[in-house]
Amino acid sequence: MEQYIIKGGIPLVGEVDIAGAKNAALAILAAAIMTDETIVIDNLPDVRDINVLLEAISGIGAIVTRVNRSTVKINGSTISDVSVDYEYIKKIRASYYLLGALLGKYKHAEVPLPGGCNIGSRPIDQHLKGFKALGADVDILHGSIIAKAENLHGSHIYLDVVSVGATINIMMAAALAPGRTILENAAKEPHVVDVANFLNSMGANIKGAGTDVIRIKGVEKLHKTEYSIIPDQIEAGTFMFAAAATGGDVTVRNVIPKHLEATTAKLQEIGCEVEEFDDAVRVRASRRLRRTNVKTLPYPGYPTDMQPQITVALSIAKGTSIVTESIFENRFKYADELCRMGASIKVKGNSAIIDGVEKLTGARVSAPDLRAGAALVIAGLAAEGITIVDDIVYIQRGYEDFEGKLRSLGAEIEKVTCEKEIQKFRLRVG
Ligand code: EPZ
């Protein structure tokens, strides 16, 4: 089992390049099968979730060619199976994007129903509501969602909750559903816009992505394109908070600063200086951080995927902060781990009350999920002494070469697999 070992207390300094957005890439890869022509996708992050989805896509018969680490070619003309294997959905929920893509293209898709996950129950009723409105019969049989239609047609759909996944899945199916679809109360996340731009570059007619009403005019078919994925706002935000928590000075490059506004605003509130450039953001923390309150919200609000990272920074800020999680019900699992490092956090319902402490101390902790795992690494970087983070497989799902990028900023962090390597690290860092 791989672990990270970290010697904390070193301010991160330097420049780091951000990869393409995982959550945009997952949807775009699924959408790429919607034409029989070859799609080239660039700025793909080399992370586990992406690699599993590529396997799922070749599992249904598409030709997937990895041109290099960040570029892939997909040709969906050879798809022989509209049924996705449970093995993939077990590993990544986002393989449910194949539902919208296959339904749009073949009017038939079978995808195992994803279960709950480490951040809480995650229903997909809004996805299914959308498919039904587009004319599909949707059944759940033997643990799989079976969506089938003689013909799809445009429809007027109101989402009862703002859902990134439902917005994207419905947008994909509707792109090839004759007639007009109006999707109201749509999610506005940058990756929703990226997927719409991608589909439009394939010949779809989607307008309004990025607002809460998306209008789609179904087209007969989609065609080849070459597309570069937007930068990952959550990876960028994670490095920004790593700079803040370690009292560092980090420039994150290859970002769209507009997508980082909520994160930037909170960093400024807690006492960091944030400088914006065309495609980079510099974060400097030259004094002790200050308290604040934050509530996670759909975009453009503060992202739930940045909730654990800000909690770590607030755990060593001056004063008492309240962090409220309004998207997922079970996203404070890491708080107990952070308390083992000396933080003072009480979780009540969907809020965490954080009394800032002077310092954290290194401990052995375990990553409960992707973002919480990254946050525990930040805690380790800020803490006095040695921290070992277990279960880093979660972190590898969404961060490309996390330890390498942190090392380039001066961090003492290594991936280890056995006690001998841990001892070697301890001897080296003293
Ligand atoms: C996406 O998940 C992201 N995943 C998540 O990123 C992210 O946390 C989340 O959006 C919120 O921004 C991907 O893009 C692959 P939702 P998604 O549907 O689409 C409820 C990460 O760390 N809901 O926007 O599954 C749901 O329970 C991950 O990278 C319904 O009730 O999230 C939640 O409370 C984790 N019914 C809220 O809506 C539905 O049909 C928002 O979920 C769908 C969702």
Side-chain angles (χ1 to χ4, degrees):
M1 192 183 63
E2 290 182 329
Q3 301 161 307
Y4 280 140
I5 184 162
I6 302 160
K7 183 183 182 220
I10 304 166
L12 297 188
V13 177
E15 298 182 344
V16 63
D17 287 323
I18 299 306
K22 170 190 74 104
N23 289 344
L26 288 168
I28 286 173
L29 291 176
I33 62 136
M34 294 178 72
T35 170
D36 283 345
E37 299 179 14
T38 299
I39 299 285
V40 183
I41 299 162
D42 194 16
N43 204 29
L44 199 65
D46 185 11
V47 297
R48 202 161 289 207
D49 274 12
I50 294 297
N51 297 327
V52 173
L53 183 62
L54 287 173
E55 281 174 38
I57 290 172
S58 65
I60 53 171
I63 300 169
V64 175
T65 318
R66 196 75 183 234
V67 180
N68 58 44
R69 192 174 188 193
S70 60
T71 310
V72 71
K73 278 190 193 173
I74 295 180
N75 184 296
S77 65
T78 47
I79 289 175
S80 50
D81 193 356
V82 293
S83 156
V84 179
D85 203 280
Y86 181 57
E87 274 312 299
Y88 302 117
I89 200 95
K90 212 169 64 182
K91 289 189 192 148
I92 43 158
R93 291 177 53 83
S95 32
Y96 62 38
Y97 283 136
L98 288 168
L99 257 180
L102 289 167
L103 181 64
K105 188 177 180 196
Y106 299 106
K107 318 294 171 238
H108 182 186
E110 297 190 9
V111 175
L113 191 63
C117 74
N118 291 359
I119 56 176
S121 145
R122 294 177 70 182
I124 61 159
D125 54 305
Q126 298 303 306
H127 305 230
L128 305 189
K129 173 181 166 175
F131 297 147
K132 285 180 193 162
L134 294 174
D137 286 327
V138 181
D139 283 314
I140 297 179
L141 277 181
H142 308 296
S144 284
I145 304 156
I146 301 175
K148 260 189 193 170
E150 281 293 318
N151 289 301
L152 292 175
H153 54 73
S155 184
H156 195 136
I157 304 162
Y158 180 88
L159 292 181
D160 302 318
V161 287
V162 180
S163 157
V164 172
T167 301
I168 292 176
N169 234 340
I170 295 168
M171 210 164 64
M172 290 198 280
L176 287 174
R180 284 173 195 276
T181 294
I182 299 175
L183 183 56
E184 295 204 59
N185 201 25
K188 296 180 282 211
E189 269 68 4
H191 38 295
V192 172
V193 180
D194 208 34
V195 180
N197 288 342
F198 171 69
L199 287 165
N200 284 341
S201 77
M202 292 172 80
N205 184 340
I206 302 174
K207 297 204 168 105
T211 75
D212 42 26
V213 184
I214 300 180
R215 292 167 201 277
I216 304 155
K217 211 170 144 196
V219 295
E220 215 171 289
K221 60 180 196 167
L222 299 173
H223 55 67
K224 67 181 175 184
T225 187
E226 293 189 12
Y227 195 81
S228 183
I229 289 165
I230 52 164
D232 197 310
Q233 74 188 87
I234 306 299
E235 186 196 10
T238 301
F239 280 97
M240 290 162 80
F241 269 104
T246 60
D249 178 354
V250 171
T251 300
V252 293
R253 296 190 303 210
N254 180 32
V255 297
I256 298 172
K258 172 96 188 122
H259 295 168
L260 299 167
E261 273 174 356
T263 299
T264 296
K266 282 295 158 192
L267 283 163
Q268 286 169 331
E269 259 175 58
I270 64 175
C272 297
E273 285 165 60
V274 185
E275 211 178 331
E276 284 183 11
F277 304 94
D278 286 349
D279 60 356
V281 173
R282 179 177 181 187
V283 178
R284 269 178 291 182
S286 45
R287 51 184 175 284
R288 185 164 179 210
L289 303 175
R290 297 192 292 263
R291 61 155 304 280
T292 193
N293 295 336
V294 60
K295 182 175 181 180
T296 62
L297 288 168
Y299 188 83
Y302 187 86
T304 172
D305 292 346
M306 287 299 303
Q307 181 260 97
Q309 300 88 321
I310 194 169
T311 300
V312 167
L314 295 175
S315 75
I316 47 172
K318 191 166 182 318
T320 301
S321 305
I322 301 177
V323 174
T324 305
E325 172 56 57
S326 75
I327 310 289
F328 293 113
E329 81 251 27
N330 199 6
R331 226 173 177 177
F332 284 121
K333 270 195 184 163
Y334 64 91
D336 287 344
E337 299 296 285
L338 212 47
C339 290
R340 300 186 58 248
M341 298 178 72
S344 172
I345 304 175
K346 281 197 195 77
V347 177
K348 287 210 170 111
N350 66 343
S351 290
I353 301 149
I354 305 152
D355 281 322
V357 294
E358 287 281 340
K359 63 169 196 276
L360 298 175
T361 51
R364 184 160 178 170
V365 291
S366 182
D369 62 71
L370 165 59
R371 307 301 172 188
L376 289 171
V377 170
I378 298 178
L381 295 167
E384 190 181 278
I386 302 276
T387 293
I388 293 177
V389 182
D390 288 334
D391 293 332
I392 64 167
V393 62
Y394 287 113
I395 303 174
Q396 292 162 343
R397 291 179 67 159
Y399 290 89
E400 181 180 289
D401 189 19
F402 196 38
E403 68 280 9
K405 290 187 183 185
L406 288 168
R407 269 199 302 270
S408 77
L409 298 171
E412 284 289 4
I413 176 169
E414 252 168 53
K415 193 159 63 187
V416 290
T417 49
C418 61
E419 194 53 37
K420 206 169 140 196
E421 287 172 358
I422 292 178
Q423 290 313 332
K424 215 167 122 192
F425 179 88
R426 285 184 191 274
L427 278 174
R428 185 173 65 73
V429 299

